[in-house]
């Protein structure tokens, strides 16, 4: 036997039985090694993105990564113009991110478009990990939103995120959107100095209209909360902003005097927006169709308030895709198809990869003035 002779030469003895065992072990070892290395090569080809968690994916790798992974729910992309759009999307920088870390809220606005579909909130350490990844990808502004951000751990959760983003990540702008009803002075004492902007939602200065909309909780006075928060912002040097959604209940209201009295640094005026699965259609928790106003009605509201200089209008067209929205699992939500379709979580696949499924319209972001003076250090405010 060739093998036995060969072994005999090497080992310098002729015990056939021992030789057979040694040959068998060697043969299995070599074959096993070859099979294992082929398997590893294949594995690396399809899961390379896992190693990119927290890092930007170079453009030349985008298409191969995209090809190798399933898009959320759709299977691999076959679109002929996919290469361009994927590369373009992955090269975008998440300059300004809205992190809706909770869907829970103590109000029940009829047109709410981020409804309480889950009660999930990430552990603080995970949320911070994701925020650090976003900062490393170019984020300059983060806005914490909900649901109601102050409902989680009585505001200490959002407070810790605010401190982390301002002090540890040194983000130029950290802001919160809230309904204002759960904010206390104690919160401002502990966290106020780290917060740039606090936006409070207010759609009407008539208590009855707020009730009709659902912007209330029990006997809490929403307008009183608004005034209190405005005073606290002044006292603790936080820029104060107001958000208003124009809908069928308030479309004819003149809010100018009250807004001028409160003197926010910005008054964002939105047109009531329908989002499938949130406030419209099947599986939605809210049905906002009756709150929707036409473009003409929205424009009439804007015309009535055109002398209010801090007014920043936002039509449905401007609003729909020009925000980078992260949900409670840190998944980007793509609104381009009229509903909020989630990407995979940035915590699992990295920012660049998840961005490809965000539907983010960067051009519209700049067109609507998404990049503005957003750090309180740069604002010339009269505290
Ligand atoms: S306050 Fe905001 S999150 Fe809460 S129900 Fe109203 S719109 Fe929704």
């Amino acid at each position: 036997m060739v093998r036995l002779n060969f072994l005999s030469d090497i080992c310098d003895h002729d015990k056939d039985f021992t030789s057979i065992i040694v040959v068998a072990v060697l043969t299995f070892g070599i074959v096993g090694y070859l099979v294992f290395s082929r398997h590893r090569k294949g594995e690396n080809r399809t899961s390379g993105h896992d190693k990119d968690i927290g890092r930007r994916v170079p453009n030349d790798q985008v298409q191969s990564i995209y090809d190798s992974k399933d898009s959320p729910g759709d299977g691999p992309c076959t679109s002929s113009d996919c290469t361009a759009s994927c590369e373009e999307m992955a090269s975008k920088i998440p300059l300004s991110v809205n992190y809706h870390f909770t869907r829970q809220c103590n109000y029940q606005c009829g047109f709410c478009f981020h409804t309480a579909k889950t009660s999930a909130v990430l552990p603080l350490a995970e949320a911070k990990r994701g925020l650090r990844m976003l900062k490393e990808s170019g984020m300059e502004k983060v806005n914490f939103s909900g649901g109601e951000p102050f409902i989680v751990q009585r505001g200490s959760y959002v407070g810790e995120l605010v401190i982390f983003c301002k002090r540890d990540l040194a983000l130029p702008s950290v802001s919160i959107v809230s309904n204002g009803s759960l904010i206390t002075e104690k919160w401002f004492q502990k966290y106020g100095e780290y917060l740039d902007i606090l936006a409070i939602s207010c759609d009407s200065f008539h208590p009855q209209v707020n009730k009709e909309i659902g912007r209330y909780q029990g006997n809490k006075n929403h307008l009183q909360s608004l005034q209190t928060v405005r005073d606290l912002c002044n006292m603790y040097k936080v820029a104060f902003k107001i958000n208003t959604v124009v809908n069928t209940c308030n479309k004819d209201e003149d809010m100018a005097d009250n807004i001028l009295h409160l003197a926010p640094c910005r008054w964002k005026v939105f047109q009531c927006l329908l989002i499938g699965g949130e406030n419209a259609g099947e599986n939605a928790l809210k049905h906002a169709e009756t709150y929707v106003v036409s473009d003409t009605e929205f424009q009439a509201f804007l015309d009535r308030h055109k002398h209010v200089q801090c007014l920043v209008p936002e039509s449905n067209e401007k609003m729909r895709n020009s925000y980078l929205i992260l949900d409670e699992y840190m998944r980007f939500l793509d609104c381009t198809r009229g509903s909020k379709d989630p990407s995979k979580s940035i915590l699992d696949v990295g920012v660049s990869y998840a961005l490809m499924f965000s539907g983010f319209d960067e051009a519209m972001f700049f067109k609507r003035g998404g990049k503005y003076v957003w750090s309180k250090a740069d604002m010339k405010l009269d505290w």
Side-chain angles (χ1 to χ4, degrees):
M1 290 170 71
V2 175
R3 277 200 213 141
L4 289 184
N5 291 340
F6 165 70
L7 195 77
S8 177
D9 290 344
I10 291 174
C11 301
D12 200 23
H13 64 74
D14 57 2
K15 292 180 179 171
D16 286 354
F17 180 70
T18 309
S19 305
I20 287 167
I21 296 293
V22 174
V23 167
V25 168
L26 280 173
T27 309
F28 278 119
I30 289 165
V31 170
Y33 172 74
L34 289 173
V35 168
F36 179 71
S37 0
R38 280 180 72 87
H39 174 71
R40 290 289 303 164
K41 272 185 197 166
E43 209 174 67
N44 287 343
R45 263 202 309 273
T46 56
S47 64
H49 78 284
D50 290 337
K51 294 184 271 123
D52 291 318
I53 289 176
R55 279 186 268 137
R56 289 189 69 74
V57 181
N59 275 353
D60 57 354
Q61 290 177 22
V62 169
Q63 185 60 33
S64 60
I65 288 172
Y66 191 87
D67 285 343
S68 69
K69 300 301 293 180
D70 293 347
S71 57
D74 292 326
C77 181
T78 52
S79 163
S80 56
D81 62 1
C82 180
T83 307
S85 60
C86 292
E87 286 178 357
E88 200 185 302
M89 196 59 82
S91 69
K92 285 180 178 157
I93 293 174
L95 209 57
S96 174
V97 175
N98 293 275
Y99 176 24
H100 296 246
F101 62 81
T102 179
R103 284 177 171 271
Q104 299 298 303
C105 187
N106 56 327
Y107 279 15
Q108 53 261 302
C109 308
F111 50 69
C112 180
F113 52 83
H114 204 76
T115 53
K117 290 162 79 174
T118 77
S119 57
V121 177
L122 284 177
L124 201 55
E126 281 295 271
K128 287 180 180 178
R129 181 164 76 90
L131 289 164
R132 188 180 290 284
M133 289 162 62
L134 287 159
K135 157 79 195 238
E136 285 165 3
S137 300
M139 178 174 72
E140 286 184 21
K141 178 182 192 298
V142 65
N143 178 55
F144 297 111
S145 189
E148 171 48 46
F150 286 82
I151 208 169
V152 182
Q153 295 168 15
R154 298 182 176 186
S156 67
Y157 186 92
V158 71
E160 292 307 313
L161 292 182
V162 164
I163 288 196
F164 175 73
C165 286
K166 186 49 90 176
R167 193 181 57 195
D168 300 13
L169 299 184
L171 287 185
S173 183
V174 180
S175 63
I176 302 176
V177 175
S178 161
N179 63 35
S181 63
L182 304 173
I183 306 178
T184 61
E185 179 162 10
K186 244 178 155 178
W187 191 93
F188 273 90
Q189 286 166 349
K190 192 167 178 188
Y191 304 110
E193 70 172 291
Y194 304 100
L195 183 64
D196 289 280
I197 305 170
L198 179 54
I200 304 296
S201 310
C202 176
D203 305 325
S204 174
F205 287 92
H206 300 300
Q208 194 45 45
V209 176
N210 283 325
K211 286 230 156 162
E212 251 176 77
I213 290 171
R215 252 197 218 292
Y216 74 102
Q217 180 195 11
N219 290 328
K220 276 180 191 275
N221 183 335
H222 182 67
L223 296 173
Q224 183 55 55
S225 302
L226 180 71
Q227 183 65 54
T228 304
V229 172
R230 197 269 169 267
D231 295 343
L232 288 170
C233 282
N234 224 19
M235 209 182 304
Y236 291 89
K237 300 192 182 336
V238 174
F240 175 71
K241 190 173 151 185
I242 295 178
N243 286 352
T244 294
V245 178
V246 179
N247 61 86
T248 46
C249 302
N250 67 355
K251 67 183 172 61
D252 297 322
E253 189 167 330
D254 185 342
M255 299 172 71
D257 287 350
N258 288 297
I259 294 292
L260 290 169
H261 166 72
L262 289 164
C265 65
R266 270 163 93 81
W267 179 32
K268 264 284 183 77
V269 178
F270 302 93
Q271 186 178 2
C272 183
L273 179 66
L274 292 181
I275 300 278
E278 296 280 354
N279 64 8
E282 277 178 40
N283 307 321
L285 294 183
K286 302 276 178 186
H287 294 280
E289 289 83 353
T290 54
Y291 290 93
V292 171
V293 292
S294 66
D295 291 350
T296 314
E297 289 170 319
F298 181 62
Q299 190 54 50
F301 186 95
L302 297 179
D303 291 344
R304 197 176 316 124
H305 297 91
K306 61 174 182 283
H307 58 293
V308 181
Q309 290 190 351
C310 58
L311 192 158
V312 180
E314 215 145 283
S315 63
N316 287 349
E317 188 220 351
K318 279 189 187 165
M319 191 179 167
R320 197 182 296 277
N321 310 319
S322 67
Y323 284 83
L324 263 180
I325 302 172
L326 272 186
D327 76 356
E328 65 276 21
Y329 302 108
M330 287 197 149
R331 305 178 300 184
F332 285 117
L333 297 179
D334 177 352
C335 302
T336 51
R337 287 179 286 269
S339 56
K340 288 179 171 173
D341 302 322
S343 70
K344 289 175 181 173
S345 172
I346 63 167
L347 297 169
D348 295 329
V349 299
V351 174
S352 295
Y353 182 71
L355 256 182
M356 288 192 272
F357 304 98
S358 66
F360 179 50
D361 184 343
E362 195 178 48
M364 185 56 92
F365 167 77
F366 286 111
K367 189 176 161 196
R368 74 163 164 83
K371 174 92 177 77
Y372 58 98
V373 180
W374 52 31
S375 167
K376 68 179 172 184
D378 300 329
M379 293 178 193
K380 293 182 177 49
L381 291 176
D382 217 358
W383 298 110

